[in-house]
């Protein structure tokens, strides 16, 4: 997302970043009072180009929350944290080939696919487990109904194209 | 040489660790993907909403336009007078004699080969069910029965109070449904899923039955039929779309004229009256208040109970308070000489026997300072105006005679529209709602809840207010109520609680913006009136799509609508871009694009988030704005002979144009004369400050009148420019292009709840 590298001075770069962050923040500022529900922060951060893990996300939330958490995040606290994340290029997105290798780790026999059961097991029992909703949604797009498996290379390609 | 076991463990551990890390990676990546999808979904929603509300604001502007005409335009020829007189007929409560005429259905013969449903009165449950079934099979009810049903409906509604009181001790359950907007599939689905109305199963339909969808009339027929069959258990509230003026713009008028070419006019006329007689609210067990829009800090249920709701013909008005005040000042100075001054009702000769598309306004008292919000309303009342109205029935006849005899009916040159009469304040009581009464009704039909405390003008819609949690609390306390059920706003899940669960929004038109855009819902009130929500989406096709596909479809529709808007403002955008390009390099920094677009379009959208979808970038960080505008233009249909700025203007104003045409075409014939078209356009463009030459208009008009008979077919005109998107005969009247909806039967898998 941060593909428009402007060759102008740093102030301009930061000004642009601020506007970008504000736009994304405002999409979820339903009450129009410069706050968003804390549960939307992940979406906002990710839509700005970052790819934190859940753990990293929780740390971030702790940084931007109030002393006594209200369930809402204020823009004034969010902006500086988000700006430095973008400037420092933290939580970079995962390149396609890294993703492919991750799937291959889960498929040591190198069959080129994972069965539906295997995918479910890994995604809901390992790592930072998916909720049932997340799992169902992934299955709906990933699983080839005839073989009941996910051909991960094709899957990745499809998702990446869709993104762009 | 490590022992086998520990190496195995070591490897196993490493493998487990690798698997863990791999899983985290995949999950991380996937969550980011989903987040971006969610962002797109939210943006899409914002696009649809902002365009919808901008359209409603347009409606207010349109009325400003007409009042501008009234104030400033002096017709310079007899033709122009005639022409304008056809646009400006008086809005008033129809006389009983007129109503008789309109509901004269007996003379309409039903041919023997008619295979549609037949009704007889008093209506029985079987008739109502037969109607539902017939409509499900796409049959059409004969005009004879339509008028008959409307006649009976009106008789029934007249007996009802403004606020219907319902008790749950008679029915075991009460189901409340929200906006349907002509989407018959959703209504059929609700009956299928929840059960047909019966003495044990009460229903409340909370307004906005018509407009936008393609089966508004069928919905009305079904709802009215059940209301007549189960008068104690089946209840309807008026919504802001149960209003002939709103219908002119949002598709219901068109639908009726299209389906009933011979009798449509009559049907519309009696419907106008029926809408006025719809109750304003329903109260369940004295505890749950159900009304269409919302409330304000001045909502007075006693006043609402007592007013004559029939007098509120339309909740739309022409003038804002500011304009009124200004005129008051000006007129105040010229008080002695000028009889008129008032922006409001004046009486015109009519060249058509029935005032079939009345547009204007009733007069009201001065809008006092009161609330700081300015609800659009009318100007101060001239007492002489009122008396005139009393005498109008006599004058009306006289006018007609004069007109037919070819005499100019205008009395004074300066105020061609008005007649003088003596003051008669009692007449006022009988005929007009007071300003306060009108405002109370507007508030309950148009308001929206907001999260902040307080109460402020609803500038987005142009009517009613935004009300905060304290307003709700205050009202509930004052009248000892438990909570409020309202509709009026589309919600992605079909419903939404707010104000600490004291306000429930319920919206029953699924896929409202586009197939897959939102669920519909209804709410059942159980014992102790606890709400139980049921959601659905009346389109089987969407269930087979993944979330990604669903979002993409809806998004594409929204983006198309947005690109349309961008095209419509091409000239302004170009000017704005040039401002950022003082050195005339032809490029601007990509970062400036968003600011420029927002300053022109003013939709309040997250342009930087949307940019990747709207701009195929650019040489790195710079945008060739002219070629971008060309790209946008390329996506629009082309009409080669037309001056491009004209096309742009037409695009921008197409809804207004269509509405204006429909108003001019007061006999609903579908034709307007070339001359009328030219005159309208001239007036319109001068008011909208659009720079189109007269020649251009003339050429355009000529080119549209293909058979050179001096008449333009409105629909052909709009189609020629594709100003009405593809399925104009089956689609909706909104600014958003529609994907054709799947014509499944009513049943479908309900959304998970």
């Amino acid at each position: 997302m941060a593909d428009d590298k402007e060759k102008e001075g740093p102030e301009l770069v930061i000004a642009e970043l601020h506007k970008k962050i504000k736009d994304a923040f405002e999409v979820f500022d339903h009450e129009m009072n410069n706050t968003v529900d804390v549960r939307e922060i992940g979406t906002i951060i990710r839509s700005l180009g970052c790819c934190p893990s859940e753990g990293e996300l929780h740390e971030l939330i702790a940084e931007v929350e109030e002393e006594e958490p209200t369930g809402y995040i204020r823009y004034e606290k969010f902006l500086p944290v988000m700006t430095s994340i973008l400037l420092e290029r933290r939580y970079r997105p995962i390149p396609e080939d890294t993703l492919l290798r991750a799937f291959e780790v889960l498929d040591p026999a190198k069959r080129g696919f994972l069965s539906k059961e295997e995918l479910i097991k890994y995604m809901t029992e390992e790592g930072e487990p998916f909720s049932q909703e997340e799992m169902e949604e992934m299955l709906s797009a990933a699983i080839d109904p005839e073989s009941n498996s996910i051909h991960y290379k094709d899957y990745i390609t499809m998702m990446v194209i869709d993104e762009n | 040489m490590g022992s086998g076991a520990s190496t195995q463990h070591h490897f196993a551990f490493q493998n487990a660790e690798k698997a863990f890390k791999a899983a985290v990676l995949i999950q991380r990546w996937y969550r980011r993907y989903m987040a971006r999808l969610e962002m797109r979904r939210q943006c899409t929603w914002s696009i649809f909403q902002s365009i919808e509300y901008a359209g409603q604001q347009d409606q207010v502007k349109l009325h400003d336009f007409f009042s501008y005409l009234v104030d400033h335009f002096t017709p310079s020829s007899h033709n122009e007078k005639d022409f304008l007189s056809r646009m400006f007929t008086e809005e008033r409560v129809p006389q009983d004699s007129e109503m008789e005429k309109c509901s004269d259905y007996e003379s309409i013969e039903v041919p023997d080969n008619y295979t549609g449903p037949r009704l007889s009165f008093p209506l029985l449950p079987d008739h109502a069910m037969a109607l539902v079934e017939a409509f499900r099979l796409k049959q059409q009810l004969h005009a004879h029965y339509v008028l008959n049903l409307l006649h009976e409906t009106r008789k029934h509604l007249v007996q009802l109070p403004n606020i219907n009181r319902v008790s749950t001790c008679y029915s075991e359950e009460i189901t409340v449904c929200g906006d349907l907007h002509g989407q018959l599939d959703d209504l059929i689905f609700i009956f299928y899923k929840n059960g047909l109305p019966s003495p044990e199963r009460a229903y409340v339909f909370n307004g906005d039955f018509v407009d936008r969808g393609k089966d508004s009339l069928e919905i009305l027929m079904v709802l009215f039929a059940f209301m007549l069959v189960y008068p104690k258990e089946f209840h309807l509230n008026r919504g802001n779309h149960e209003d002939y003026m709103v219908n002119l713009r949002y598709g219901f008028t068109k639908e009726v004229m299209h389906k009933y070419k011979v009798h449509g006019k009559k049907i519309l006329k009696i419907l106008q009256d029926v809408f006025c007689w719809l109750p304003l609210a329903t109260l369940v067990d004295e505890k749950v208040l159900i009304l269409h829009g919302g409330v304000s800090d001045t909502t007075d249920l006693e006043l609402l109970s007592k007013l004559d709701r029939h007098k509120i013909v339309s909740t739309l008005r022409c003038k804002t308070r500011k304009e009124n005040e200004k005129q008051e000042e000006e007129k105040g100075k010229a008080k002695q000489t000028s009889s008129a001054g008032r922006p409001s009702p004046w009486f015109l000769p009519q060249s058509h026997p029935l005032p079939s598309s009345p547009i204007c306004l009733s007069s009201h008292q001065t809008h006092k300072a009161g609330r700081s919000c300015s609800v659009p309303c009318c100007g101060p009342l001239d007492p002489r105006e009122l008396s005139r109205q009393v005498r109008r029935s006599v004058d009306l006849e006289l006018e007609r005679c004069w007109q037919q005899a070819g005499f100019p009916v205008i009395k004074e040159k300066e105020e061609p529209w008005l007649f003088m009469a003596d003051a008669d304040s009692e007449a006022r009581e009988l005929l007009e709602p007071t300003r306060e009464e009108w405002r109370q009704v507007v508030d309950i039909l148009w308001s929206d809840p907001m999260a902040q405390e307080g109460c402020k003008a609803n500038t987005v819609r142009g009517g009613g207010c935004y009300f905060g949690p304290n307003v709700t609390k205050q009202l509930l306390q004052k009248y000892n109520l438990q909570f409020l059920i309202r509709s009026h706003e589309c919600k992605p899940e079909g419903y939404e609680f707010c104000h600490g669960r004291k306000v429930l929004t319920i919206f029953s038109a699924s896929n409202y913006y586009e197939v897959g855009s939102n669920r519909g819902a209804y709410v059942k009130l159980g014992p102790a009136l606890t709400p139980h929500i049921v959601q659905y989406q009346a389109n089987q096709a969407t269930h087979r799509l993944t979330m990604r596909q669903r979002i993409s479809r809806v998004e594409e529709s929204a983006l198309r609508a947005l690109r349309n808007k961008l095209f419509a403002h091409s000239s302004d955008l170009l000017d704005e871009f040039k401002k950022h390009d003082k050195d005339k390099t032809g490029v601007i920094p990509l970062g400036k694009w968003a600011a420029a677009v927002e300053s022109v379009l003013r939709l309040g959208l997250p342009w930087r988030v949307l940019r990747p979808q709207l701009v195929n970038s650019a040489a790195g960080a710079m945008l060739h704005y002219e070629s971008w505008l060309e790209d946008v233009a390329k996506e629009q249909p082309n009409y080669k002979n037309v001056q491009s700025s004209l096309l742009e203007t037409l695009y921008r104003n197409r809804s207004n144009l269509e509405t204006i045409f429909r108003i001019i075409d007061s006999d609903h014939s579908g034709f307007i004369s070339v001359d009328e078209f030219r005159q309208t356009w001239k007036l319109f463009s001068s008011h909208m400050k659009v720079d189109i030459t007269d020649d251009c208009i003339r050429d355009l008009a000529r080119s549209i009148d293909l058979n050179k008979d001096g008449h333009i077919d409105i629909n052909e005109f709009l189609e020629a420019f594709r100003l009405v998107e593809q399925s104009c005969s089956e689609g909706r009247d909104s600014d958003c292009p529609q994907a054709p909806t799947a014509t499944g039967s009513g049943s479908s898998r309900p959304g998970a709840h």
Side-chain angles (χ1 to χ4, degrees):
Chain A
M1 262 216 117
D3 43 12
D4 41 350
K5 300 184 182 115
E6 297 180 287
K7 304 236 159 80
E8 293 146 338
E11 299 85 25
L12 275 162
V13 170
I14 292 185
E16 255 316 293
L17 281 181
H18 281 187
K19 286 188 213 151
K20 230 184 183 171
I21 296 170
K22 188 156 218 303
D23 258 12
F25 191 87
E26 279 179 353
V27 173
F28 291 94
D29 179 10
H30 301 300
E31 302 176 13
M32 295 186 283
N33 59 358
N34 288 327
T35 66
V36 301
D37 191 315
V38 65
R39 291 166 291 185
E40 316 267 37
I41 284 292
T43 309
I44 298 174
I45 295 177
R46 286 171 172 134
S47 74
L48 285 165
C50 303
C51 199
S53 67
E54 290 291 286
E56 287 163 335
L57 189 60
H58 287 304
E59 282 168 18
L60 275 173
I61 290 177
E63 259 187 81
V64 295
E65 254 180 344
E66 304 296 314
E67 297 274 313
E68 297 212 12
T70 59
Y72 285 94
I73 305 295
R74 285 186 300 121
Y75 179 66
E76 298 81 44
K77 281 205 118 179
F78 180 70
L79 182 64
V81 174
M82 194 66 225
T83 310
S84 59
I85 290 174
L86 289 179
L87 284 174
E88 293 161 28
R89 304 172 76 72
R90 270 192 269 163
Y91 315 122
R92 295 268 76 211
I94 300 160
E96 221 179 299
D97 50 340
T98 312
L99 192 57
L100 183 59
R101 270 180 284 142
F103 273 103
E104 284 171 352
V105 165
L106 303 179
D107 174 27
K110 305 277 179 281
R111 299 160 296 171
F113 65 86
L114 291 173
S115 76
K116 182 173 167 186
E117 290 71 33
E118 285 169 339
L119 184 66
I120 293 177
K121 183 174 80 105
Y122 282 122
M123 293 294 103
T124 59
E125 293 174 23
E126 295 284 351
E128 295 173 324
F130 273 171
S131 66
Q132 193 186 354
E133 217 183 306
E134 283 174 313
M135 192 67 249
E136 275 173 15
E137 185 49 45
M138 185 187 215
L139 288 173
S140 71
I143 294 291
D144 165 30
E146 280 175 33
S147 59
N148 229 16
S149 62
I150 166 178
H151 293 264
Y152 44 84
K153 195 153 198 287
D154 294 337
Y155 176 60
I156 294 170
T157 313
M158 172 186 83
M159 298 286 264
V160 166
I161 288 178
D162 183 54
E163 284 241 87
N164 300 337
Chain B
M1 12 174 195
S3 77
S6 68
T7 323
Q8 264 179 356
H9 278 309
H10 182 66
F11 279 133
F13 179 74
Q14 269 195 329
N15 286 339
E17 204 189 348
K18 275 163 93 179
F20 184 93
K21 283 193 177 145
V24 172
L25 206 79
I26 296 170
Q27 288 151 346
R28 218 176 103 196
W29 163 81
Y30 185 76
R31 281 171 174 135
R32 176 172 179 252
Y33 175 80
M34 291 307 289
R36 295 183 73 175
L37 216 54
E38 173 61 20
M39 180 58 101
R40 281 161 64 188
R41 196 191 65 76
Q42 273 290 337
C43 286
T44 301
W45 192 259
S46 303
I47 294 174
F48 278 131
Q49 287 224 300
S50 71
I51 290 180
E52 176 178 20
Y53 294 151
Q56 288 182 334
Q57 287 171 16
D58 261 4
Q59 182 81 341
V60 176
K61 284 193 207 137
L62 191 61
H63 292 297
D64 281 354
F65 162 58
F66 282 116
S67 61
Y68 163 84
L69 281 185
V70 174
D71 295 337
H72 296 113
F73 187 73
T74 309
S76 54
S77 73
H78 190 67
N79 283 339
E80 283 187 327
K81 280 180 205 147
D82 274 352
F83 163 65
L84 280 175
S85 76
R86 294 214 300 130
M87 288 212 287
F88 296 111
T89 56
E90 192 179 359
E91 178 216 71
R92 56 190 175 79
V93 177
Q95 313 272 33
D96 276 341
S97 57
E98 272 180 12
M99 280 297 102
E100 293 274 318
K101 223 178 181 186
C102 278
S103 47
D104 167 30
Y105 51 89
E106 275 150 26
S107 61
I108 302 176
E109 279 199 32
V110 183
D112 290 328
N113 60 358
Y114 168 71
T115 52
R118 290 170 189 265
L119 306 174
S120 63
F121 294 84
L123 221 48
L124 296 171
D126 279 348
H127 290 123
M129 292 197 278
L131 261 188
V132 178
E133 186 56 20
F135 291 151
R136 198 179 68 81
L137 299 171
K138 313 278 179 229
Q139 291 174 351
Q140 184 165 302
L141 187 64
H142 195 276
H144 174 108
Y145 299 116
V146 174
L147 288 167
N148 199 351
L149 179 55
L150 290 177
H151 179 69
E152 296 295 318
T153 300
R154 184 174 175 271
K155 274 179 11 194
H156 170 77
L157 288 175
V158 167
Q159 303 164 3
L160 297 178
N162 294 351
I163 302 183
N164 251 327
R165 284 175 151 80
V166 176
S167 169
T168 50
C169 56
Y170 299 120
S171 337
E172 288 158 13
E173 50 175 72
I174 289 195
T175 304
V176 183
C177 303
D179 296 28
L180 284 169
H181 282 301
Q183 297 185 187
L184 186 63
D185 284 347
D186 285 307
L187 179 60
I188 291 178
F189 179 78
I190 293 173
F191 285 159
Y192 167 78
K193 170 114 179 116
N194 193 46
L196 286 166
S198 72
E200 294 78 38
R201 194 174 293 117
Y203 272 95
V204 178
F205 281 86
N206 200 12
D208 277 11
F209 320 121
V210 301
D211 278 332
R212 296 179 163 264
K214 60 182 176 67
D215 295 313
S216 300
L217 191 62
E218 282 72 26
I219 287 193
L220 285 181
M221 295 293 101
V222 170
L223 295 179
F224 291 157
F226 276 113
M227 185 176 66
L228 293 175
V229 171
Y230 299 116
K232 293 210 191 70
E233 296 84 16
F234 199 88
H235 308 279
L236 303 176
N237 289 339
R238 188 178 187 183
N240 62 306
H241 276 261
E242 275 67 58
D243 181 327
Y244 77 95
M245 284 178 87
V246 178
N247 299 149
L248 278 170
R249 185 192 182 87
Y250 288 102
F252 181 47
T253 309
K254 189 161 95 163
E255 180 193 320
V256 173
M257 290 314 299
H258 179 75
K259 288 177 176 168
Y260 292 94
K261 295 183 166 59
V262 178
H263 300 288
K265 216 169 65 170
K266 259 190 187 173
I267 294 175
L268 286 171
K269 192 70 199 149
I270 189 176
L271 267 170
Q272 183 186 325
D273 202 43
V274 167
F275 284 163
C276 303
W277 277 115
L278 285 168
L280 300 173
T282 302
L283 188 57
V284 179
D285 287 350
E286 304 293 318
K287 284 285 161 215
V288 179
L289 182 61
I290 308 173
L291 35 72
H292 179 73
V295 297
S296 78
D297 53 358
T298 56
T299 292
D300 180 346
L301 292 183
E302 279 114 11
L303 197 154
L304 282 166
S305 306
K306 293 200 201 108
L307 60 82
D308 180 358
R309 67 181 188 271
H310 186 229
K311 292 190 295 198
I312 316 260
V313 181
S314 166
T315 51
L316 287 182
R317 286 297 180 266
C318 269
K319 287 206 138 319
T320 60
R321 193 187 71 200
K322 278 197 203 138
E323 282 185 43
N324 294 337
E325 281 173 349
K326 189 174 167 214
Q327 274 175 348
E328 251 210 277
E329 268 177 63
E330 289 171 349
K331 286 359 177 198
K333 291 172 194 157
K335 214 169 183 176
Q336 273 73 29
T337 46
S338 152
S339 66
R342 295 311 169 226
S344 19
W346 24 266
F347 185 59
L348 283 181
Q350 300 166 47
S351 40
H352 296 264
L354 277 175
S356 38
S357 13
I359 176 75
C360 260
L361 337 146
S362 298
S363 47
H364 292 285
Q365 294 157 3
T366 316
H367 181 92
K368 300 211 181 98
R371 188 162 77 209
S372 58
C373 45
S374 57
V375 178
C377 83
C378 277
L381 198 61
D382 181 350
R384 286 176 290 190
E385 274 311 314
L386 296 166
S387 174
R388 176 186 58 66
Q389 286 192 337
V390 179
R391 301 178 186 209
R392 67 175 181 258
S393 48
V394 173
D395 288 336
L396 181 69
E397 269 324 304
L398 275 176
E399 283 346 287
R400 276 198 215 121
C401 298
W402 284 344
Q403 181 80 357
Q404 276 161 15
F407 287 93
V409 239
I410 314 302
K411 285 204 172 160
E412 287 184 46
K413 246 190 172 173
E414 294 79 54
E415 289 85 30
W417 320 117
L418 298 169
F419 288 93
M420 289 184 268
D422 301 318
D424 185 349
S425 57
E426 272 185 38
R428 184 186 320 182
E429 304 291 316
L430 295 170
L431 302 167
E432 300 301 318
T434 65
R435 191 238 350 140
E436 182 55 28
E437 287 172 341
W438 174 79
R439 195 171 63 134
Q440 289 275 338
V441 175
V442 170
D443 280 348
I444 62 171
L445 259 40
W446 286 82
S447 300
D448 292 313
M450 65 174 175
Q452 295 100 321
E453 307 276 306
C455 190
K456 59 184 192 193
N458 193 327
T459 46
V460 170
R461 294 205 192 252
C465 69
Y466 287 118
F467 62 100
N470 57 327
V471 176
T472 301
K473 188 168 173 205
Q474 186 190 315
L475 187 109
L476 295 178
Q477 256 175 12
K478 182 172 175 192
Y479 297 107
N480 201 8
L481 304 168
Q482 262 177 32
F483 64 96
L484 221 63
I485 300 181
R486 45 89 63 174
S487 304
H488 196 42
E489 281 183 295
C490 184
K491 298 291 177 191
E493 293 298 312
Y495 77 98
E496 191 175 89
F497 280 102
C498 66
H499 295 189
R501 290 184 81 91
K502 291 293 178 200
V503 175
L504 168 62
T505 300
I506 196 86
F507 194 85
S508 301
S510 66
N511 305 320
Y512 179 61
Y513 290 123
E514 173 60 83
V515 173
S517 66
N518 64 289
R519 293 197 166 115
Y522 55 85
V523 59
K524 299 168 75 91
L525 297 179
L529 300 174
T530 40
H532 167 65
I533 315 273
V534 178
Q535 295 169 295
Y536 55 86
Q537 202 153 10
N539 186 314
Q540 287 179 310
T542 49
H543 295 298
R544 283 182 246 116
L545 302 174
T546 62
M547 192 190 298
R548 174 181 67 90
Q549 287 168 318
R550 253 179 281 143
I551 291 176
S552 294
R553 276 187 76 160
V554 187
E555 185 185 38
E556 201 31 59
S557 180
L559 290 174
R560 232 180 305 146
L562 202 49
R563 287 192 198 105
N564 239 304
K565 282 235 174 273
L566 288 168
F567 170 70
H569 291 87
S570 301
S571 312
D572 288 341
L573 283 170
L574 188 61
D575 287 344
E576 194 64 28
F577 289 144
K578 284 190 173 151
K579 282 186 203 159
H580 290 281
D581 179 26
K582 295 263 158 57
D583 300 332
K584 301 198 206 296
T585 59
V587 292
I588 56 168
L590 203 54
K592 298 275 185 246
W593 175 86
V597 173
E598 176 58 23
S599 74
V600 172
L601 253 57
R602 298 192 177 287
L603 286 171
L605 290 173
W607 295 106
R608 284 172 196 85
V609 181
L610 294 169
R611 192 177 63 203
Q613 313 271 41
L614 295 169
V615 180
N616 293 330
S617 218
M622 302 302 272
L623 172 71
H624 289 272
Y625 49 87
E626 283 193 29
S627 61
W628 175 69
L629 283 170
E630 275 168 24
D631 284 344
V632 174
K634 274 188 203 138
E635 294 167 20
Q636 312 301 323
N638 228 328
Y639 197 82
K640 295 213 169 67
N641 300 330
V642 182
Q643 190 185 68
S644 61
S645 61
L646 175 60
L647 188 61
E648 214 183 286
T649 312
L650 289 172
Y651 255 82
R652 195 177 335 182
N653 296 291
R654 68 182 188 219
S655 299
N656 286 338
L657 260 185
E658 197 181 342
T659 310
I660 292 174
F661 282 165
R662 233 161 270 297
I663 292 166
I664 301 172
D665 179 27
S666 46
D667 63 356
H668 298 290
S669 63
F671 292 96
I672 57 172
S673 78
V674 170
D675 222 43
E676 283 167 344
F677 168 68
R678 273 190 51 234
Q679 283 170 354
T680 310
W681 191 249
K682 246 175 62 186
L683 294 169
F684 186 68
S685 53
S686 71
H687 174 65
M688 295 299 189
K689 299 204 179 34
V690 163
D691 188 22
I692 302 288
T693 66
D694 216 27
D695 284 345
C696 202
I697 300 289
R698 197 190 50 215
D699 290 342
L700 178 62
R702 281 215 203 105
S703 68
I704 295 162
D705 175 22
L706 293 172
N707 60 2
K708 306 291 171 239
D709 69 345
H711 280 88
I712 295 175
D713 181 321
I714 296 177
N715 292 317
E716 273 177 12
F717 170 74
L718 295 168
E719 287 249 30
F721 290 93
R722 294 197 230 146
L723 295 178
V724 178
E725 296 290 341
Q726 36 184 116
S727 42
C728 78
S729 52
E730 43 176 41
R732 312 180 195 148
D733 265 18
S734 79
D735 284 335
C736 302
Q738 298 303 320
T741 51
T743 47
S745 62
S747 65
S748 53
R749 181 166 71 82
H753 176 50

